[in-house]
Amino acid sequence: MVTENLAEVERRICAACRRAGRSREEVTLIAVSKTKPVSMIEELLPGGTRDFGENKVQELCEKYEQLPRDIRWHLIGHLQRNKVKYVVDKACLIHSVDSLRLAQAISQEAARKQVTVPILIEVNMAGEESKFGVAPGEAEGLIREIASLPAVSVRGLMTIAPFVENPEENRIYFSKMKKLCVDIKGKNIDNVVMNVLSMGMTGDYEVAIEEGATMIRVGTGIFGERKFEERLETIE
Ligand SMILES: *Cc1c(COP(=O)(O)O)cnc(C)c1O
C-alpha cells in the first residue's frame, strides 16, 4: 500500500517537474512519517527512500534508534529550546527555526557536540495567527543575526501554506516564497546558502514544485490519513 502510494506521488512529482521545465533531481521528496510505525518506514527502504520527516523530537529519536543510520531525518515541527540537545546530532536538517534564541540554542549544543547543523528559516507566508514562523519581512533580518552563529548553517526557507480545498489558492504564497529566497540569496550574506525551499504538502505539492520548491513534505499522500492528531501542530 505504502509503496503504491509512493509510486503515485512520484508520478505526480515527475509530471509537475515536466510542466515546470525542471529536472526531477531538483526536488527532494521527504516522506513525513509522523505518528506512523517504523514498519511502514521499513517498507520504503528497499526502494531507496531515505528522507523522512518527523515533527516531534521524541518520536524522531525513537525511530532514529530503531532504523538504519543512513536515513536522513528532517525535523519539520516546532522545536522547543529544551529539546534541542536531543536532536542536533540526529537531524540532517531542522526546517522550523523562527527565532534567534532557538538558533542560539542549536548553535551552542551543536558546538558542544562538534557538529554544524543545517537549518531552514520558517516563514509564515500567509500571516496565519495559528502558525509558527517569522513574517516574510522579518526573514532577512533574522538570517543576518543567525549568520554570525558558529555552529548553524542557514540553507534556505520553509513554509507551511494554509489548509485549502483548492491548491491553486496557495500558488501566490509559494511564488512569494521563491521570490523572498532569491532576494535574500542576492544579498550574499556570509555563512548563508539559500538553496533550499521547503514547501508543499500532500494537498499542494504539485503547485509548490511548479513555483520552485526544492523539498516537499508529503505525509498523508504516502502513509495515509493520520489518526488522533491535529492535522498540523499549531500554537495553542
Ligand atoms: C504533517 C506535516 C506535513 C505533511 O502533511 P500531509 O498533509 O500529511 O502531507 C508537512 N509538513 C509539516 C511541517 C507537517 O507537520
Side-chain angles (χ1 to χ4, degrees):
M1 186 59 188
V2 180
T3 49
E4 281 87 346
N5 289 347
L6 179 71
E8 171 64 14
V9 170
E10 188 57 47
R11 196 186 60 71
R12 291 187 180 199
I13 292 171
C14 290
C17 284
R18 223 171 297 126
R19 282 193 300 278
R22 304 180 63 196
S23 107
R24 173 64 187 88
E25 286 70 51
E26 291 175 43
V27 181
T28 300
L29 169 62
I30 299 170
V32 177
S33 47
K34 65 188 185 195
T35 80
K36 299 296 180 182
V38 160
S39 59
M40 288 178 102
I41 296 175
E42 284 170 332
E43 284 184 58
L44 296 180
L45 298 181
T49 305
R50 287 297 177 277
D51 289 278
F52 290 92
E54 290 288 338
N55 69 336
K56 294 210 158 59
V57 169
Q58 187 179 344
E59 193 173 342
L60 188 154
C61 291
E62 284 169 12
K63 288 173 174 167
Y64 177 93
E65 292 304 334
Q66 296 172 61
L67 287 159
R69 283 292 177 267
D70 65 345
I71 286 180
R72 292 181 291 273
W73 293 104
H74 296 255
L75 185 68
I76 61 176
H78 181 66
L79 175 58
Q80 289 166 320
R81 278 178 294 137
N82 62 349
K83 300 213 172 131
V84 162
K85 59 177 175 286
Y86 303 112
V87 81
V88 288
D89 55 349
K90 298 188 181 71
C92 70
L93 184 62
I94 297 176
H95 291 233
S96 46
V97 177
D98 63 358
S99 74
L100 179 60
R101 285 172 81 201
L102 174 59
Q104 282 167 332
I106 295 170
S107 183
Q108 214 167 62
E109 195 56 39
R112 188 170 299 149
K113 294 200 161 78
Q114 299 193 314
V115 295
T116 297
V117 179
I119 64 169
L120 303 179
I121 304 304
E122 181 171 352
V123 184
N124 185 354
M125 287 307 296
E128 292 175 284
E129 287 204 356
S130 61
K131 296 260 170 76
F132 291 100
V134 294
E138 291 167 7
E140 184 185 332
L142 178 60
I143 289 170
R144 286 188 185 279
E145 291 180 309
I146 292 176
S148 65
L149 300 175
V152 293
S153 162
V154 177
R155 298 294 167 85
L157 306 176
M158 178 273 230
T159 197
I160 302 173
F163 180 66
V164 289
E165 288 295 323
N166 178 1
E168 286 298 332
E169 290 174 40
N170 282 337
R171 189 179 292 279
I172 181 75
Y173 300 121
F174 296 143
S175 69
K176 283 184 173 169
M177 262 280 276
K178 169 75 185 184
K179 185 174 180 305
L180 181 62
C181 192
V182 169
D183 284 351
I184 297 173
K185 189 180 186 135
K187 305 282 165 79
N188 288 315
I189 304 167
D190 274 354
N191 190 31
V192 172
V193 192
M194 298 296 287
N195 57 9
V196 177
L197 214 43
S198 170
M199 57 186 195
M201 308 176 16
T202 296
D204 54 22
Y205 65 88
E206 292 154 281
V207 174
I209 290 170
E210 289 169 11
E211 297 301 329
T214 69
M215 286 187 180
I216 57 173
R217 312 177 306 266
V218 179
T220 310
I222 296 173
F223 295 105
E225 294 285 341
R226 290 176 295 272
K227 289 183 195 130
F228 315 121
E229 183 224 27
E230 297 286 316
R231 182 176 166 280
L232 274 175
E233 222 178 40
T234 51
I235 299 167
E236 286 93 54

